[in-house]
Amino acid sequence: MQRSLVGSEMCIETEYKGRVTIFQVGLDQTLGAWRDAAKNIPWIAVYDPAGEASKYVQQYQVYSIPTSFIIDKNGEIQERIQDPLELKKAIQKYL
């Protein structure tokens, strides 16, 4: 199941190119569905075959899709964003 904000992410990718890296984890039910969803996006996209049953869904408290994280250069999660409309504002705080 991949509910993507590809339009919003494309805007972020374009506006902050070179300053922000988007890393997307697909939780689609099948590899084929993920491939279809990810084939035209310019950022890093990986697939977790465990889908919503993935241990990372619980570890990172992903309760809804999409869930976004701001991760600093040291790999530390700085902020978790549930509301996709808040993503751009959150990014701007850290630039």
Side-chain angles (χ1 to χ4, degrees), residues 7-72:
S8 296
E9 291 166 340
M10 288 287 198
C11 291
I12 289 168
E13 171 76 8
T14 301
E15 186 171 341
Y16 299 108
K17 192 163 189 80
R19 298 187 295 159
V20 171
T21 300
I22 297 175
F23 184 91
Q24 180 177 347
V25 179
L27 301 176
D28 300 84
Q29 292 180 356
T30 68
L31 180 59
W34 172 77
R35 281 187 178 141
D36 288 343
K39 67 182 172 188
N40 293 316
I41 58 175
W43 52 81
I44 301 163
V46 297
Y47 173 65
D48 186 338
E52 291 182 38
S54 171
K55 68 180 182 180
Y56 301 108
V57 169
Q58 288 186 359
Q59 181 178 342
Y60 292 100
Q61 301 173 356
V62 176
Y63 301 122
S64 64
I65 298 172
T67 296
S68 300
F69 298 90
I70 304 289
I71 302 171
D72 67 18

